[in-house]
Amino acid sequence: MAKKNHDPLSPAMLEQVAQQFRALGEPSRLQLMNLLFDGESTVGELVERSGLSLANVSKHLGHLHKVHWVTRRKVGVKVLYALADERTFGLCELMCDRVRSVTKAAVARIDAPAPKQPRRRG
Amino acid sequence: MAKKNHDPLSPAMLEQVAQQFRALGEPSRLQLMNLLFDGESTVGELVERSGLSLANVSKHLGHLHKVHWVTRRKVGVKVLYALADERTFGLCELMCDRVRSVTKAAVARIDAPAPKQPRRRG
DNA sequence: CATATATTCAACTATATGGTTGAGCACATG
DNA sequence: CATGTGCTCAACCATATAGTTGAATATATG
């Protein structure tokens, strides 16, 4: 039997929340977000700093903007993007922590003597 | 010019972090995680509670397990899954908050009198 | 061993999405 | 208005992946 029965989140909500996660579930977008930790930046700058193609960066930023992970403002002929949510940094920290502890655990597992697996008959 | 130059995360790290996000970037998996908030549960129970197909649930749980979002333990003929990271709940709360505030902002935007757009000539 | 139960695996299809390329658009300047 | 700059958009292709179906595996029981 279940412990607490949390509210089971409507399908629409699940989809929207998933969308938020999915937006960060891509290395290029994550890299752009990471670059934006240093502050507001133009598309061109982000292209240079990331090494990604112009159209690609523009597309990813558009995506991140659509789901409100970044803000956009136009200044003259340039467009400036910035992080829209202060919590982004903490979020990424958390995930990095996870990756590091998982990796460490994996290493520990390799170092450990192989757990005696019950031999399976040939 | 940039503010701080955070460490730019290796491509491998970006991919691993992205993988963590991506695992939660899918409504069905999110639903399963949400069900697990109530405590450890068997695959069969999760199938009933989620309304998803057996194979589908098994696959998603396998995926979540591979990236260490859930733990797995076998008891007799059944398999029990549970959340592997206490921070999961906080994480989902954060995302739900985001969705809610974005939605609210959208409604506010609809309610507001149309911001006078500089008329573009026909 | 035969059978039942609980879960996983493999193969397949349909859809979504990342990246590229080339065209298009908005603003600035002479 | 012609040109240059900075960015976005649309079409396209290749790959990844959610979900299904049917077979396979593991554990318990008679």
Side-chain angles (χ1 to χ4, degrees):
Chain A
M1 178 61 94
K3 262 193 257 172
K4 223 174 138 188
N5 268 13
H6 284 274
D7 41 338
L9 292 190
S10 69
M13 191 63 173
L14 286 172
E15 170 51 38
Q16 297 213 75
V17 172
Q19 190 171 234
Q20 294 293 317
F21 277 114
R22 212 160 46 228
L24 302 185
E26 213 280 333
S28 301
R29 280 194 293 270
L30 226 38
Q31 187 188 6
L32 294 173
M33 295 289 277
N34 203 46
L35 292 175
L36 289 177
F37 284 159
D38 297 338
E40 206 180 25
S41 188
T42 69
V43 178
E45 284 166 4
L46 291 170
V47 168
E48 278 189 42
R49 297 211 276 154
S50 68
L52 302 172
S53 77
L54 172 60
N56 198 8
V57 168
S58 172
K59 203 159 131 178
H60 281 311
L61 290 172
H63 188 162
L64 288 169
H65 181 245
K66 194 154 73 175
V67 297
H68 306 271
W69 277 114
V70 301
T71 61
R72 156 197 264 156
R73 74 190 176 94
K74 199 157 186 186
V75 172
V77 70
K78 307 197 174 185
V79 176
L80 290 160
Y81 284 91
L83 295 183
D85 192 325
E86 314 145 357
R87 294 168 295 185
T88 306
F89 188 76
L91 241 182
C92 286
E93 284 259 292
L94 190 157
M95 290 305 202
C96 286
D97 269 3
R98 279 184 54 81
V99 168
R100 276 188 286 268
S101 59
V102 159
T103 305
K104 209 177 56 180
V107 172
R109 230 174 289 125
I110 290 168
D111 289 348
K116 40 187 135 191
Q117 308 205 19
R119 267 261 151 268
R120 94 184 38 250
R121 58 215 170 79
Chain B
M1 175 65 89
K3 262 194 258 172
K4 225 175 137 189
N5 269 12
H6 284 274
D7 40 337
L9 293 190
S10 71
M13 191 63 173
L14 285 172
E15 170 52 38
Q16 297 213 74
V17 172
Q19 189 172 232
Q20 293 293 316
F21 277 115
R22 209 159 49 228
L24 301 185
E26 213 280 334
S28 301
R29 280 194 293 271
L30 226 39
Q31 186 188 8
L32 293 173
M33 295 289 277
N34 203 47
L35 292 175
L36 289 177
F37 284 159
D38 297 338
E40 204 179 27
S41 187
T42 68
V43 178
E45 284 167 3
L46 291 170
V47 168
E48 277 189 43
R49 295 211 277 154
S50 67
L52 302 173
S53 78
L54 172 61
N56 198 9
V57 168
S58 173
K59 204 160 131 179
H60 281 311
L61 290 172
H63 188 160
L64 288 169
H65 181 246
K66 194 153 71 175
V67 297
H68 304 272
W69 276 115
V70 300
T71 60
R72 157 196 264 157
R73 69 185 247 264
K74 197 156 187 185
V75 171
V77 71
K78 307 197 173 187
V79 176
L80 290 160
Y81 284 91
L83 295 182
D85 192 325
E86 313 144 358
R87 295 168 294 184
T88 305
F89 189 75
L91 240 182
C92 286
E93 283 259 292
L94 190 157
M95 291 304 202
C96 287
D97 269 3
R98 280 184 52 80
V99 169
R100 277 187 286 266
S101 58
V102 159
T103 305
K104 208 176 53 179
V107 172
R109 228 174 289 125
I110 291 168
D111 288 348
K116 40 185 130 190
Q117 306 205 20
R119 267 262 151 266
R120 88 184 45 249
R121 59 216 169 79

